Amino acid sequence: MNRFVFSYPTKVYFGEKSAAQAFEAELGKMGETVMLAYGGGSVKQNGVYDEIKTLLEQGGKTIVEFSGIMPNPTYKKVQEGTALVRERHVDFILAVGGGSVIDCCKVISAQAVLDEDIWDLEYVKGRFPAAGIPLGAVVTASGTGAEMNASGVITHEEKKWKGGIFGVAPDFAVLDPAYTMSVPPMQVFSGAFDTLSHAMETYFGRSDQDNVSDDVALAVMRNTVTNMRRLLVNVQDMQARSNLMWDSAMAENGILKCGRLTDFQAHQIEHQLGAYTDCNHGQGLAVIHPAYYRHIIKDAPDQFARFAKVVFDADSAEAGVDALKDFIIACGLPTKMSQLRSTVEITPQLLRQVADTCNIIKTGPRELSRDEIYDILLECL
Ligand code: NZQ
Ligand code: ZN
């Protein structure tokens, strides 16, 4: 194990009807004015908005609404939310949605108390925010694990860039699997694949020491695959969604990363693909992962063989990557760029730009060149 510090800022309320329990404990700490932030309206259709609004009203809060946070939230939307927080003197931000809503709010929280542009602070000056407006998250779509960390993934449209911006971690998170029952099947599977990806990206980081985190990561991967298979039989299986909701949090709350380095190269490629195409995150990962793994399989043969055996009951490293690809197909997830929903046509020229602008990870099994990333992307076309 490498040296590490672990402490946790987010209190989790997990399970059916946990919102009422959470609000009973947390309302008193929220202050008077609460910004109720959500996305494109799913929360109004499934009743979550009414339930949360009633809880806030019962607590005597003044509610400031901030809606329309889009999938792959933009930097512009962050600034719009920040202006509203300042104008209405918001004391607490409540993010109700999936990873996009939660991420946008985490960055709004930090930006609202800064005098300077948060992108410049982090990417030009290399400094990170130390404070923010207190925040809570009510998760309605699981997969990203965004509710248990401080980093938001934001698309800066002018800079043609998508990536992490450190904001503020939620003080508390409500994880009620019943809230996810209205998520459409494709989003359920792409969210769950994102979870699997987080655990894989962590596990395949460079490692020269045996590590308890690897055993935990493999357990999370296997459980994620098992419960995705349950959903293939019955997509409304609440137990399976419940397990996947905690798998999602476990994969990105830092526990799997304790004492080891991580990879996250597939994520870096997918984020830049997202900057150019606005494609769905989990679906982009489904396309990229098998091709990426075929390139690095010889650089971490033992790790791949163990992954194959534990996660897919496959008897070789290569068979494990084949099983991953077959599983992606079985879940109805895309395996080719042409199957992604994209705002623009995905051409070799566009993929060259993605390869030339994505982050390159130095802690994966092998550092890739930009040409090799381009080759990987072309193999996915
Ligand atoms: O906007 P609404 O109307 O709410 O609809 C959303 C959206 O269209 C819908 N949805 C959410 N809850 C629902 C629901 N529909 C019906 N019933 C419900 N209960 O689902 C659609 C997708 O939502 P979104 O929040 O975009 O999905 P997800 O949770 O997958 O988040 C994706 C974003 O998170 C980032 C991704 O890059 C992407 O921008 N990530 C964040 C991470 C983090 N902060 O740790 C890590 C990840 O690697 C990832 O990069
Ligand atoms: Zn992800």
Side-chain angles (χ1 to χ4, degrees), residues 38-46 48 68-73 96-104 106 138-155 162-165 177-184 187-188 190-192 194-195 197-198 201 241 248 252-253 257 264 267 270-271 274 278-282 285 341:
Y38 54 95
S42 68
V43 289
K44 289 202 167 165
Q45 283 156 18
N46 61 16
V48 174
I69 300 175
M70 63 292 278
N72 303 325
V96 186
S100 295
V101 172
I102 298 167
D103 279 0
C104 190
K106 289 191 289 194
V138 177
V139 182
T140 67
S142 73
T144 65
E147 65 276 11
M148 285 186 78
N149 63 53
S151 177
V153 178
I154 303 295
T155 300
K162 182 181 180 189
I165 299 183
Y179 287 0
T180 71
M181 295 306 280
S182 56
V183 179
Q187 179 59 36
V188 171
S190 69
D194 189 21
T195 298
S197 168
H198 294 156
E201 298 255 49
R241 292 207 189 202
S248 162
E252 261 308 276
N253 65 11
K257 298 172 186 171
F264 280 86
H267 264 70
E270 193 289 326
H271 282 162
D278 200 29
C279 68
N280 176 284
H281 176 60
L285 290 169
R341 261 174 294 138

Side-chain angles (χ1 to χ4, degrees), residues 14-17 142 175-182 188 227 230-231 233-246:
F14 188 95
E16 280 187 74
K17 313 233 178 298
S142 73
L175 282 81
D176 181 342
Y179 287 0
T180 71
M181 295 306 280
S182 56
V188 171
N227 284 286
R230 280 173 70 174
L231 289 184
V233 178
N234 173 17
V235 77
Q236 294 305 104
D237 182 335
M238 174 86 98
Q239 274 306 317
R241 292 207 189 202
S242 170
N243 285 330
L244 287 169
M245 200 168 203
W246 188 238

Side-chain angles (χ1 to χ4, degrees), residues 205-228:
R206 195 172 299 156
S207 176
D208 54 6
Q209 296 170 350
D210 76 307
N211 202 308
V212 64
S213 297
D214 291 354
D215 290 42
V216 183
L218 287 162
V220 169
M221 286 184 243
R222 189 172 171 96
N223 191 269
T224 301
V225 168
T226 299
N227 284 286
M228 288 171 78

Side-chain angles (χ1 to χ4, degrees), residues 5 8 46 99 114 118 128-129 142 158 167 179 329 333 358:
V5 175
Y8 228 82
N46 61 16
L114 283 170
I118 193 166
F128 296 94
S142 73
E158 287 157 27
Y179 287 0
I329 294 168
L333 288 163
C358 73

